[in-house]
Coordinates of all heavy atoms in Angstrom, one line a residue:
M1391 N 0.8 -1.2 0.0 CA 0.0 0.0 0.0 C 0.9 1.3 0.0 O 0.5 2.2 -0.7 CB -1.0 0.0 1.2 CG -2.1 -0.9 1.0 SD -3.3 -0.7 2.3 CE -2.6 -1.7 3.6
N1392 N 2.0 1.3 0.8 CA 2.8 2.4 0.8 C 3.5 2.6 -0.6 O 3.6 3.8 -1.0 CB 4.0 2.3 1.8 CG 3.5 2.5 3.2 OD1 2.4 3.1 3.4 ND2 4.2 1.9 4.2
H1393 N 3.9 1.5 -1.2 CA 4.4 1.7 -2.6 C 3.4 2.2 -3.6 O 3.6 3.1 -4.4 CB 5.0 0.3 -3.1 CG 5.6 0.4 -4.4 ND1 6.7 1.1 -4.7 CD2 5.1 -0.1 -5.6 CE1 7.0 1.0 -6.0 NE2 6.0 0.2 -6.6
A1394 N 2.2 1.6 -3.4 CA 1.1 2.0 -4.3 C 0.7 3.5 -4.1 O 0.4 4.2 -5.1 CB -0.2 1.2 -4.1
A1395 N 0.8 4.0 -2.8 CA 0.5 5.4 -2.6 C 1.5 6.3 -3.2 O 1.2 7.5 -3.5 CB 0.5 5.6 -1.1
S1396 N 2.8 5.8 -3.4 CA 3.8 6.7 -4.0 C 3.7 6.8 -5.5 O 4.4 7.6 -6.1 CB 5.2 6.2 -3.6 OG 5.5 5.0 -4.2
L1397 N 2.8 6.0 -6.1 CA 2.7 6.0 -7.6 C 1.8 7.1 -8.1 O 0.9 7.5 -7.4 CB 2.2 4.6 -8.0 CG 3.0 3.4 -7.7 CD1 2.3 2.1 -8.0 CD2 4.4 3.5 -8.3
D1398 N 2.0 7.4 -9.4 CA 1.1 8.4 -10.0 C -0.2 7.7 -10.4 O -0.3 6.5 -10.5 CB 1.8 8.8 -11.3 CG 3.0 9.7 -11.0 OD1 3.1 10.3 -10.0 OD2 3.9 9.8 -12.0
L1399 N -1.2 8.6 -10.6 CA -2.5 8.1 -10.9 C -2.5 7.3 -12.3 O -3.3 6.4 -12.5 CB -3.5 9.3 -11.0 CG -5.0 8.9 -11.2 CD1 -5.4 8.0 -10.1 CD2 -5.8 10.2 -11.2
Q1400 N -1.6 7.7 -13.2 CA -1.5 7.0 -14.5 C -1.2 5.5 -14.3 O -1.7 4.7 -15.1 CB -0.4 7.6 -15.3 CG -0.8 9.0 -15.8 CD 0.4 9.6 -16.5 OE1 1.5 9.2 -16.5 NE2 0.1 10.7 -17.2
A1401 N -0.5 5.1 -13.3 CA -0.2 3.7 -13.0 C -1.4 2.9 -12.7 O -1.5 1.8 -13.2 CB 0.8 3.6 -11.9
Y1402 N -2.4 3.5 -12.1 CA -3.6 2.8 -11.7 C -4.5 2.7 -12.9 O -5.4 1.9 -12.9 CB -4.3 3.5 -10.6 CG -3.6 3.3 -9.3 CD1 -2.9 4.4 -8.7 CD2 -3.7 2.1 -8.6 CE1 -2.2 4.2 -7.5 CE2 -3.0 1.9 -7.4 CZ -2.3 3.0 -6.9 OH -1.6 2.8 -5.7
E1403 N -4.3 3.6 -13.9 CA -5.2 3.5 -15.1 C -4.8 2.3 -16.0 O -5.5 1.9 -16.9 CB -5.2 4.8 -15.8 CG -5.8 5.9 -15.0 CD -5.7 7.3 -15.7 OE1 -4.9 7.4 -16.7 OE2 -6.3 8.2 -15.2
D1404 N -3.6 1.8 -15.8 CA -3.1 0.7 -16.6 C -3.5 -0.6 -15.9 O -3.0 -1.0 -14.8 CB -1.6 0.8 -16.7 CG -1.0 -0.3 -17.5 OD1 -1.8 -1.1 -18.2 OD2 0.3 -0.5 -17.5
P1405 N -4.5 -1.3 -16.5 CA -4.9 -2.6 -15.8 C -3.9 -3.6 -15.6 O -3.9 -4.4 -14.7 CB -6.1 -3.1 -16.7 CG -5.9 -2.3 -18.0 CD -5.2 -1.1 -17.7
V1406 N -2.9 -3.7 -16.6 CA -1.8 -4.6 -16.5 C -1.0 -4.4 -15.3 O -0.6 -5.3 -14.5 CB -1.0 -4.6 -17.8 CG1 0.3 -5.5 -17.6 CG2 -1.8 -5.0 -19.0
F1407 N -0.7 -3.1 -15.0 CA 0.1 -2.7 -13.9 C -0.6 -3.0 -12.6 O -0.1 -3.5 -11.6 CB 0.5 -1.3 -13.9 CG 1.3 -0.8 -12.7 CD1 2.7 -1.1 -12.6 CD2 0.7 -0.2 -11.6 CE1 3.4 -0.8 -11.5 CE2 1.4 0.2 -10.5 CZ 2.8 -0.1 -10.5
Y1408 N -1.9 -2.7 -12.5 CA -2.7 -2.9 -11.4 C -2.8 -4.4 -11.0 O -2.7 -4.8 -9.9 CB -4.1 -2.3 -11.5 CG -5.0 -2.5 -10.3 CD1 -4.8 -1.6 -9.2 CD2 -5.9 -3.5 -10.2 CE1 -5.5 -1.7 -8.1 CE2 -6.7 -3.6 -9.0 CZ -6.5 -2.7 -8.0 OH -7.2 -2.8 -6.8
D1409 N -3.0 -5.2 -12.1 CA -3.0 -6.7 -11.9 C -1.6 -7.2 -11.3 O -1.6 -8.0 -10.5 CB -3.3 -7.4 -13.2 CG -4.8 -7.3 -13.6 OD1 -5.6 -6.9 -12.7 OD2 -5.1 -7.6 -14.7
R1410 N -0.6 -6.6 -11.9 CA 0.8 -7.0 -11.4 C 1.0 -6.6 -9.9 O 1.5 -7.4 -9.1 CB 1.8 -6.3 -12.3 CG 3.2 -6.9 -12.1 CD 4.2 -6.3 -13.0 NE 3.8 -6.6 -14.4 CZ 4.2 -5.8 -15.4 NH1 4.9 -4.7 -15.2 NH2 3.8 -6.1 -16.6
L1411 N 0.5 -5.4 -9.5 CA 0.6 -5.0 -8.2 C -0.2 -5.9 -7.2 O 0.3 -6.3 -6.2 CB 0.1 -3.5 -8.0 CG 0.3 -2.8 -6.7 CD1 1.8 -2.7 -6.4 CD2 -0.4 -1.5 -6.8
E1412 N -1.4 -6.3 -7.6 CA -2.3 -7.1 -6.8 C -1.6 -8.5 -6.8 O -1.6 -9.2 -5.7 CB -3.7 -7.2 -7.4 CG -4.6 -8.1 -6.6 CD -4.8 -7.6 -5.2 OE1 -4.6 -6.5 -4.9 OE2 -5.3 -8.5 -4.4
R1413 N -1.1 -9.0 -7.9 CA -0.5 -10.3 -7.9 C 0.8 -10.3 -6.9 O 1.0 -11.3 -6.3 CB -0.1 -10.7 -9.3 CG 0.1 -12.2 -9.5 CD 0.3 -12.6 -11.0 NE -0.4 -11.8 -11.9 CZ 0.2 -11.1 -12.9 NH1 1.5 -11.1 -13.1 NH2 -0.5 -10.4 -13.7
A1414 N 1.5 -9.3 -6.9 CA 2.7 -9.2 -6.0 C 2.3 -9.3 -4.6 O 2.9 -10.0 -3.8 CB 3.4 -7.9 -6.3
R1415 N 1.2 -8.6 -4.2 CA 0.7 -8.7 -2.8 C 0.2 -10.1 -2.5 O 0.6 -10.6 -1.4 CB -0.5 -7.7 -2.6 CG -1.0 -7.6 -1.2 CD -2.2 -6.9 -1.1 NE -3.4 -7.5 -1.7 CZ -4.0 -8.5 -1.2 NH1 -3.7 -9.0 -0.1 NH2 -5.1 -9.0 -1.9

């Protein structure tokens, strides 16, 4: 969550990146 909070909003608009972040968790 701390890493996600430091990201730009554009990163969340990318579904591939969001899936990768969730998969990492």
Side-chain angles (χ1 to χ4, degrees):
M1391 284 188 279
N1392 285 339
H1393 179 70
S1396 70
L1397 299 174
D1398 292 335
L1399 187 58
Q1400 292 175 344
Y1402 288 105
E1403 292 174 354
D1404 181 11
V1406 173
F1407 178 79
Y1408 184 78
D1409 287 343
R1410 193 176 298 153
L1411 187 65
E1412 181 62 21
R1413 202 172 326 120
R1415 186 189 65 77

